[in-house]
Amino acid sequence: MNRLPGWIILLALLGSTCTWAGCLDNTQLTGVNLAGAEFNSKNLPGVFTKDYTYPSSQELAFVAAQGANIIRLPFRWERLQPRLGMAFDAAELKRLQTTIIQAQLQDLCVLLDAHNYAKYYGDPITSPAHQDAFVHLWVELATQLGNPEYVALGLMNEPAHIPLADWAALAKRTLTELRAAGLTHIVMVGGGGWNGLHSWFSEKDGISNATAFAGLKDPLQRSVIEVHQYADQYYSGMAQDCYPPAHFDQPFERIGQWAQDNGLKLFLGEFGMAATEPCLQTLEHFLQLMRGNEWKGWTYWAGGSWWGDYPFALNSDLLNPSPQWAPLKAGFYRGGDQSPPLPPQDASH
């Protein structure tokens, strides 16, 4: 029988009896996605190390050494729970637990990201059975993992396969049931559709994310609105062109004002760009646009050892680091006076 290493068991026991410093209490959470556990979604559940992978301890240490304080960890619902509403796969749960503990050793928070686009084995999660199982997934996973000082819950990546109004209702229900179960984790609530920052106010079927989530209430005030934003012509994250920096001023300002008006915080869970000079300028501008108090933070897309020649990818090479590392390292939150200064306030805004 496979057993957890002794140091992991010791940490787990300590975590049940001690109070950790709590990296999620940082004013800003800034880091990267470490992708791989969600790969090869056409082969589900798939074979570990053949179809998908998890971050290594060396990758986590490298990310922490650059100054990040959080990773966003995409995973597939079907791998954790191969049968709807039934028990978790023990090996997959252990992989999640091990990654969290290894990250915690580096003082990295972990944002768990159900990377499913509102589908389960290809079926939209629109039926009562699917939605009940989704709520159960998060309540049970948060209960088993515990550790709310280091683990945040990202309910669903880009829920494009469910009507926006239905997703908003399901997300709010999940939050309500997490709190009713006494779970105190930070909850990242993504918008409906492809969750674009640029389209936050766009209506589909008579409703927009701005309208659907304006009334989001959390008795613990530990929920954050997650959005995504890519910089190419169609905001797809599939091309290497980038709009110039100023193109994004108005969308960031508008959603920032919306967040302030509704007493909410924002988190940019995905943004990535090629290593061209125009794109690097836009990347730097993104980071400047997220220095206001309405921003809880961001995670760049993406790091991970299986990307090959993906143009947005971050490597783990000290001698020849990906060009995107330089602006990200300059923008990572470091606490107090060491963090990048806030931009000057324009009195006309």
Side-chain angles (χ1 to χ4, degrees), residues 31-44:
V32 302
N33 287 263
L34 282 181
E38 83 285 17
F39 280 13
N40 290 317
S41 60
K42 293 182 179 179
N43 191 9
L44 294 171

Side-chain angles (χ1 to χ4, degrees), residues 60-81:
L60 292 164
F62 182 89
V63 167
Q66 308 317 300
N69 63 12
I70 189 170
I71 63 163
R72 182 172 181 257
L73 182 65
F75 69 94
R76 290 293 303 209
W77 180 1
E78 300 90 343
R79 289 174 177 148
L80 179 62
Q81 192 175 48

Side-chain angles (χ1 to χ4, degrees), residues 32 78 112 126 134 138 147 164 171 184 229 250 259 336 344 346:
V32 302
E78 300 90 343
L112 298 176
T126 51
F134 179 76
W138 280 115
N147 204 358
L164 193 158
T184 62
Q229 187 61 57
Q250 192 275 339
D346 185 341

Side-chain angles (χ1 to χ4, degrees), residues 86-346:
M86 302 301 285
F88 292 157
D89 179 85
E92 193 70 5
L93 179 63
K94 185 187 295 184
R95 291 178 193 116
L96 278 176
Q97 291 171 322
T98 300
T99 302
I100 290 166
I101 292 170
Q102 289 177 336
Q104 188 169 328
L105 283 173
Q106 302 295 333
D107 206 23
L108 287 169
C109 309
V110 177
L111 168 55
L112 298 176
D113 159 45
H115 213 80
N116 276 71
Y117 307 94
K119 295 188 294 184
Y120 181 83
Y121 284 113
D123 294 326
I125 58 170
T126 51
S127 72
H130 279 102
Q131 296 195 2
D132 289 349
F134 179 76
V135 174
H136 170 266
L137 165 76
W138 280 115
V139 172
E140 185 64 21
L141 182 58
T143 299
Q144 292 201 36
L145 292 177
N147 204 358
E149 297 85 3
Y150 274 80
V151 176
L153 315 177
L155 297 185
M156 180 61 70
N157 179 72
E158 299 177 358
H161 297 278
I162 184 174
L164 193 158
D166 292 354
W167 165 246
L170 179 58
K172 292 174 185 177
R173 174 189 166 193
T174 306
L175 174 60
T176 296
E177 297 204 25
L178 283 164
R179 298 303 182 231
L183 296 158
T184 62
H185 302 73
I186 285 180
V187 178
M188 298 282 187
V189 182
W194 298 106
N195 195 20
L197 181 154
H198 67 279
S199 59
W200 193 251
F201 298 88
S202 301
E203 289 194 357
K204 184 176 182 181
D205 299 325
I207 191 170
S208 68
N209 279 315
T211 300
F213 290 99
L216 184 70
K217 302 296 182 185
D218 181 352
L220 301 184
Q221 296 185 321
R222 284 176 64 81
S223 293
V224 179
I225 295 292
E226 181 182 335
V227 291
H228 296 173
Q229 187 61 57
Y230 289 93
D232 59 274
Q233 181 180 3
Y234 299 106
Y235 310 114
S236 67
M238 303 294 290
Q240 297 186 49
D241 62 296
C242 287
Y243 278 113
H247 177 83
F248 294 97
D249 288 350
Q250 192 275 339
F252 272 81
E253 181 178 350
R254 190 179 184 193
I255 198 172
Q257 187 62 57
W258 174 88
Q260 292 178 41
D261 291 345
N262 288 281
L264 296 167
K265 294 281 189 177
L266 300 166
F267 188 84
L268 193 63
E270 287 187 21
F271 64 106
M273 300 169 205
T276 64
E277 187 56 36
C279 287
L280 291 175
Q281 291 176 8
T282 299
L283 173 56
E284 290 179 1
H285 196 58
F286 268 38
L287 302 178
Q288 293 169 3
L289 290 170
M290 292 186 286
R291 290 180 184 171
N293 290 332
E294 69 274 17
W295 285 95
K296 183 63 177 175
W298 44 264
T299 44
Y300 178 89
W301 185 268
S305 60
W306 280 21
W307 278 119
D309 58 0
Y310 177 57
F312 298 179
L314 299 168
N315 63 19
S316 300
D317 187 343
L318 283 171
L319 298 178
N320 187 31
S322 304
Q324 295 94 330
W325 273 122
L328 293 174
K329 289 172 67 174
F332 284 143
Y333 175 80
R334 292 178 289 279
D337 295 337
Q338 298 181 6
S339 285
L342 295 177
Q345 296 297 311
D346 185 341

